[in-house]
Amino acid sequence: MALHFERSEFDARRDRLLIEMAEKKLDAVLLFAQESMYWLTGYDTFGFCFFQCLVVKADGSMVLLTRSADLRQARHTSTIENIMLWTDRQGANPAIDLRNLLNDLDLLGARIGVEYDTHGLTAYNGRRLDEQLQTFGQIADASGIVGRLRLFKSPAEVAKAEKAANLSDDALDAALPLIKQGGDEGLILAAMQGAVFAGGGDYPANEYIIGSGADALLCRYKAGRRKLTKNDQLTLEWAGVFHHYHAPMMRTVLTGKVSKRHQELFDASRAALLAVEKAMTPGNTFGDVFDAHARTLEAHNLTKHRLNACGYSVGARFTPSWMDMPMFYQGNPEPIAPNMTLFAHMIIMDSETETAMTLGRTYLTTESAPKPLSRHDLDLIVQ
């Protein structure tokens, strides 16, 4: 089997989940998030775009309900031994198959947690699921149970994140020689993604962000390429990925001369990131980290040019996004604790002058100050 962790690691994860289930008095949980299935069993697929569910009972037994296309995928990449299939056919309703499976597992009348908050369960399938379960047992929202367990990384997971961070650095190293007057965004993207693949990495959970000129102010990928001019700005957000573990970075790179506004925004973004680092310690919360970012940018008169979040947890993620919970935003009470991998990004977009500046990297939290996982410094990059 193509497992990326020792069996003992998966056993420990299962035991942590069972403790949570016992505390919440759940007889079973229905997992729909691909990240949950991967973390718990190693199951690796993009087949979650269709209906599939991993049933975990309080005794630790598991059954996967999926399609025939993922049968061998589950056998080859996971520890799951019991796999059931629902059949693709006109008028198929796999929620009925799931209800029948739960009945066979003696869960009629049981207290069952459902992982609703995930791209792996569409609103359409969620409604069909509720229709089948409303009289079956006591249904509880179990969203976030596995997600919070995944927030705290084991030593084996930290090693994956560190490898991913090395690949992020390699991607930047590959891009820099191409960032110059006449440089083609398509070639830059190819070099960055190629460096990750060449280093043994994977596809990211979402597209790399690239934009120059006015597009440098965008925080999402969009179609279309351009070539860099003599005095230009190029915003990049990318992630090295290893066994699905992500270590994002973000930079705005300049070509030619540095404008006064670019320097002002860079100085502010660097100061904000350093303030965030000081706040990213046990005893503080995710909300405290955001406040450190917000206070610094307010002191630079940039409140209207910043975003309302400045980072988030990262780890093993699947399409459509490498963003994980919790996020750095105002009032988030989640405590900072050791062994989290967190991406902090300072994003300043001045639409009035069409000036962009970003600065971000991934950290490993410790008992004290966080450890940056990138080997690159925080200096402004001018090509």
Side-chain angles (χ1 to χ4, degrees), residues 299-373:
H300 286 78
N301 298 314
L302 293 171
T303 299
K304 68 178 180 179
H305 301 304
R306 66 163 172 81
L307 302 185
N308 293 320
C310 68
Y312 40 82
S313 175
V314 289
R317 287 284 289 177
F318 289 73
T319 305
S321 175
W322 67 54
M323 292 185 285
D324 216 342
M325 293 294 172
M327 301 185 76
F328 298 130
Y329 54 69
Q330 185 177 15
N332 190 338
E334 180 68 42
I336 299 292
N339 302 316
M340 297 176 173
T341 49
L342 307 177
F343 174 50
H345 58 62
M346 307 299 104
I347 300 176
I348 309 172
M349 302 303 187
D350 183 352
S351 296
E352 296 170 2
T353 63
E354 290 197 338
T355 308
M357 186 52 61
T358 65
L359 186 63
R361 61 183 178 183
T362 299
Y363 297 85
L364 173 67
T365 58
T366 71
E367 296 287 351
S368 54
K371 173 188 174 184
L373 295 185

Side-chain angles (χ1 to χ4, degrees), residues 186-372:
L187 295 179
I188 293 168
L189 274 180
M192 296 180 77
Q193 188 65 82
V196 173
F197 287 151
D202 304 305
Y203 285 108
N206 58 256
E207 301 90 338
Y208 287 3
I209 294 167
I210 184 168
S212 57
D215 291 345
L217 280 73
L218 303 181
C219 296
R220 296 287 183 264
Y221 172 85
K222 72 169 197 54
R225 303 281 180 266
R226 70 181 287 269
K227 293 184 178 180
L228 304 179
T229 60
K230 182 178 181 180
N231 295 299
D232 215 330
Q233 55 184 356
L234 176 71
T235 293
L236 297 167
E237 186 180 35
W238 72 101
V241 190
F242 186 70
H243 294 165
H244 293 292
Y245 284 80
H246 292 68
M249 291 179 68
M250 194 169 193
R251 288 294 182 100
T252 298
V253 181
L254 306 180
T255 62
K257 295 180 180 180
V258 180
S259 70
K260 179 182 178 182
R261 190 56 171 162
H262 274 122
Q263 190 65 56
E264 290 173 348
L265 298 190
F266 173 77
D267 291 343
S269 64
R270 189 175 189 277
L273 186 56
L274 293 176
V276 159
E277 289 183 10
K278 290 183 179 180
M280 200 186 294
T281 56
N284 289 326
T285 67
F286 276 65
D288 292 330
V289 172
F290 174 81
D291 290 344
H293 145 270
R295 282 195 304 268
T296 304
L297 296 188
E298 182 180 8
H300 286 78
N301 298 314
L302 293 171
T303 299
K304 68 178 180 179
H305 301 304
R306 66 163 172 81
L307 302 185
N308 293 320
C310 68
Y312 40 82
S313 175
V314 289
R317 287 284 289 177
F318 289 73
T319 305
S321 175
W322 67 54
M323 292 185 285
D324 216 342
M325 293 294 172
M327 301 185 76
F328 298 130
Y329 54 69
Q330 185 177 15
N332 190 338
E334 180 68 42
I336 299 292
N339 302 316
M340 297 176 173
T341 49
L342 307 177
F343 174 50
H345 58 62
M346 307 299 104
I347 300 176
I348 309 172
M349 302 303 187
D350 183 352
S351 296
E352 296 170 2
T353 63
E354 290 197 338
T355 308
M357 186 52 61
T358 65
L359 186 63
R361 61 183 178 183
T362 299
Y363 297 85
L364 173 67
T365 58
T366 71
E367 296 287 351
S368 54
K371 173 188 174 184

Side-chain angles (χ1 to χ4, degrees), residues 150-166:
R150 293 192 301 106
L151 175 59
F152 305 95
K153 306 301 190 291
S154 69
E157 289 180 292
V158 170
K160 304 288 189 190
E162 291 175 335
K163 172 63 175 178
N166 286 334

